[in-house]
Amino acid sequence: MGVINVTPDSFSDGGVALDPEHAADIAVAMEAAGADIIDIGAESTRPGATPVGTADEIARVRPVLQAVAKRVGVPISIDSYKSEVAELAIGEGAAIVNDISGLQYDPRLGPLTAARGVPIVLMHTRGRPQDMYAHAEYEDVVGEVMADLQAAVTRALTAGISPGSVLLDPGLGFAKRAQHSLAVLAGLDRLTALGYPLLVGPSRKSFMTASTDAVDPAARDWPTAAAVTAAVLGGAHIVRVHRVAAMMHVVRVADAIRDAAGV
Ligand code: HH2
């Protein structure tokens, strides 16, 4: 999954994809490099980011969705927790909803997703991006993320979403300190027991700076490669990354190692 942030303030690539045709050029390049999904979002959810109103988010994302949908063949996912944005995006061709709140923030998003019959990514977080680190307290982070994701699945099924349309994401960096994100990556195989495809998004996140000196997010692609490898070996089905071409090599090798187990 290649990431396109239509934001001025995303932590690693803010401002890069605000122009629709430029965003579409990036999406086309990602598809050519092997991306199977293009994820488009118009609100930064980095810790402490300023929330964006629905009308502003729609105004930002609509022209980019239109431009990208015209030029790529792979499915587009809409990275938003707002039902109005998801509805508009589905109307413009988005085929997947990516909800960082796991159906906690907008009660209308589950029923909308069910009615439109599109798959949904339920990501784990606690609190809001503005205060999520206040919620980063765990006794057993993997066990608690599993329990919270199970609750998110229950919300989805109760809203009428079919089990085959659910994907789960442990939310690296969301309401998690560095040690928590690392523990989640190390314990990913336990999350596969929930029985849903797993999406993992380590790309350029600060939890990797504890073990490297790559402080500038754009300089975190090598650390990302290590985390992507761990994610694939831990059982991730989809990895969400900014640098698709480079990470394709990483994913292919990690896949080959995984497939060679027991040979
Ligand atoms: N991470 C971010 C945003 N959306 N969605 C899923 N499913 N999983 C993630 O890990 C995830 C996500 C944050 O990264 P990014 O979009 O690059 O930054 P920002 O929120 O600053 O735009």
Side-chain angles (χ1 to χ4, degrees):
M1 171 185 272
V3 182
I4 296 194
N5 285 319
V6 193
T7 55
D9 58 343
S10 284
F11 76 95
S12 92
D13 59 353
V16 170
L18 285 171
D19 172 65
E21 284 315 317
H22 182 55
D25 289 343
I26 297 172
V28 166
M30 286 176 169
E31 181 179 34
D36 293 315
I37 303 168
I38 305 293
D39 188 46
I40 302 180
E43 177 179 18
S44 174
T45 47
R46 72 182 156 75
T50 314
V52 177
T54 305
D56 286 345
E57 195 176 331
I58 287 177
R60 272 186 199 171
V61 85
R62 189 205 303 260
V64 171
L65 279 165
Q66 289 170 338
V68 173
K70 246 187 244 149
R71 292 181 51 200
V72 304
V74 294
I76 295 170
S77 62
I78 176 70
D79 184 354
S80 181
Y81 53 83
K82 299 188 185 88
S83 54
E84 290 98 326
V85 177
E87 186 163 30
L88 168 280
I90 294 166
E92 297 290 357
I96 302 169
V97 172
N98 176 19
D99 176 14
I100 59 130
S101 86
L103 295 178
Q104 295 182 90
Y105 295 168
D106 184 342
R108 294 185 300 272
L109 185 58
L112 169 84
T113 307
R116 297 305 179 90
V118 294
I120 184 165
V121 178
L122 303 172
M123 198 198 78
H124 178 266
T125 191
R126 289 179 174 177
R128 296 269 174 171
Q130 296 72 46
D131 67 1
M132 61 187 175
Y133 284 131
H135 299 265
E137 299 285 344
Y138 302 89
E139 296 272 322
D140 161 20
V141 64
V142 179
E144 290 175 52
V145 166
M146 273 180 91
D148 289 352
L149 285 176
Q150 190 59 62
V153 170
T154 302
R155 284 192 287 279
L157 302 185
T158 306
I161 296 170
S162 71
S165 292
V166 171
L167 298 94
L168 300 180
D169 181 336
L172 297 177
F174 283 83
K176 293 170 194 73
R177 302 201 178 278
Q179 284 303 318
H180 298 135
S181 290
L182 295 167
V184 163
L185 261 182
L188 212 56
D189 56 327
R190 280 172 65 196
L191 294 179
T192 60
L194 289 167
Y196 294 92
L198 280 186
L199 190 157
V200 180
S203 199
R204 296 180 168 177
K205 288 187 178 164
S206 63
F207 74 88
M208 297 177 296
T209 57
S211 45
T212 74
D213 58 2
V215 175
D216 171 13
R220 292 181 192 154
D221 289 322
W222 286 107
T224 299
V228 163
T229 304
V232 172
L233 295 180
H237 299 81
I238 302 171
V239 286
R240 180 182 182 276
V241 297
H242 298 89
R243 288 281 308 281
V244 172
M247 294 309 144
M248 276 313 292
H249 294 287
V250 176
V251 165
R252 290 222 165 97
V253 174
D255 260 345
I257 295 169
R258 188 170 68 178
D259 292 349
V263 166

